[in-house]
Amino acid sequence: MSTFDLLILPGDGIGTEIMVEVDRIIKWFNDQGTVTFNTQQSLVGGAAFDAHGEAISDETMDMAQKADAVIFGAVGGPKWDDVPYEARPEAGLLRLRKDLGLFANLRPAICYPALAQSSSLKHELVEGLDILIVRELTGGVYFGEPKEITDLGNGQQRAVDTQIYETYEIDRIARVAFDLARKRGNLVHSAEKRNVMKTGVLWNQVVTKIHEDDFKDVSLEHILADNCAMQLVRNPKQFDVIVTDNLFGDILSDAAAMLTGSLGMLPSASIGAKDDQGRTKAMYEPVHGSAPDIAGQGKANPIAMIASFAMALRYSFSKAQEADMIETAIANVLDQGLRTGDIMQEGKRLVSTTDMGTAIIAELNKQTA
Ligand code: IPM
Ligand code: MG
């Protein structure tokens, strides 16, 4: 039987509530006895700042390095608006991504049939939607130096962020996108701004070359990132895989996520390169944030978090069947009309975070009965 080590980082706000539901699912799998998870839990974000003055401690980073996968909730909230920039909750998340080398962020935007009506677009535009955004996650303007605000001494300040990409960074993310496209609709859109940015020019050249050399069988379209945003809300079903840089990926993935009815539905996987022992580091987190406005009230939708754990089963542990079980359970509870507030529709049943978790576990039980 396979045993895996998980590091659980609930973080802040609704992160702690939705993680309780994942914990229950992990226990459910442990009780089934086909796969076993050893879990450790630690602090990240504002919770870590409150405990020891930084957004993630070296000890927690060490635990993350050793784990087979990190399961991450969400970080941030108004409580930490005034903490120093270096210690802000998001810094914990960015350090995890950078230090674990998680360069490939996979953000599927799938429209569950039961939710097509909750999209802000007409349902026929989103029914059956299945897009995968492949976002570069360890480079670009998020990490480029210099990154600073300097005092110009005349009452003015100057802020600089730096967008940098090197060939190897574009090369490896493009390969991830082409590989995944082969297992799906075989179409990649590469989004950049080559009309105004040198990083866009290089991005375009490198993606073209990788395609030419190794992925001729996959269709490739280059698209300007602003046009991509427009096309996502005009006719989203034209897309299969979208590969893009860190900042454009941040923005485009929020737009794509919302097409599906709620940000509370979408999982993500952040994956690194294979190390010398053939291990791949990975972290799984919902696309949504810590939602401080509804935190602590049992209103949060745990589906994105639970679906992120399903992605861990699929990508880190090669447990496709178990991942399918979770995804089926989610689809079934939606078909039964259960809804948390974010996806509530007339005539459906409003349930709490815990009730949603309980219903998903009941559906898992049905599948093994
Ligand atoms: C995301 C988030 C993060 C990002 C924040 C919390 C730093 O918006 O994962 O999309 O900008 O990458
Ligand atoms: Mg974002």
Side-chain angles (χ1 to χ4, degrees), residues 223-235:
I223 186 167
L224 295 174
D226 53 343
N227 183 29
C228 185
M230 189 270 276
Q231 296 296 338
L232 270 174
V233 292
R234 193 184 74 87
N235 174 20

Side-chain angles (χ1 to χ4, degrees), residues 107 135 142 250-251 253-254 287:
R107 297 192 160 186
R135 168 187 177 192
Y142 273 63
D250 179 44
I251 298 166
S253 63
D254 263 30
V287 172

Side-chain angles (χ1 to χ4, degrees), residues 91-161:
L93 173 59
L94 296 179
R95 182 171 175 200
L96 280 160
R97 289 175 179 172
K98 190 69 176 172
D99 288 8
L100 298 180
L102 307 175
F103 70 89
N105 183 214
L106 316 184
R107 297 192 160 186
I110 290 159
C111 186
Y112 289 89
L115 290 185
Q117 301 287 351
S118 354
S119 173
S120 44
L121 295 195
K122 296 192 197 86
H123 67 91
E124 62 268 25
L125 286 180
V126 295
E127 244 158 27
L129 182 79
D130 182 357
I131 299 177
L132 179 64
I133 298 200
V134 178
R135 168 187 177 192
E136 199 292 323
L137 202 61
T138 49
V141 76
Y142 273 63
F143 298 100
E145 296 284 349
K147 188 180 197 62
E148 62 195 10
I149 300 179
T150 20
D151 201 331
L152 299 179
N154 55 357
Q156 296 289 306
Q157 290 176 294
R158 177 166 50 215
V160 183
D161 290 292

Side-chain angles (χ1 to χ4, degrees), residues 233-269:
V233 292
R234 193 184 74 87
N235 174 20
K237 281 194 249 175
Q238 69 185 288
F239 295 107
D240 176 29
V241 174
I242 298 173
V243 63
T244 191
D245 78 11
N246 204 343
L247 183 61
F248 295 143
D250 179 44
I251 298 166
L252 294 174
S253 63
D254 263 30
M258 200 59 216
L259 297 175
T260 69
S262 165
L263 216 48
M265 298 298 300
L266 294 182
S268 84

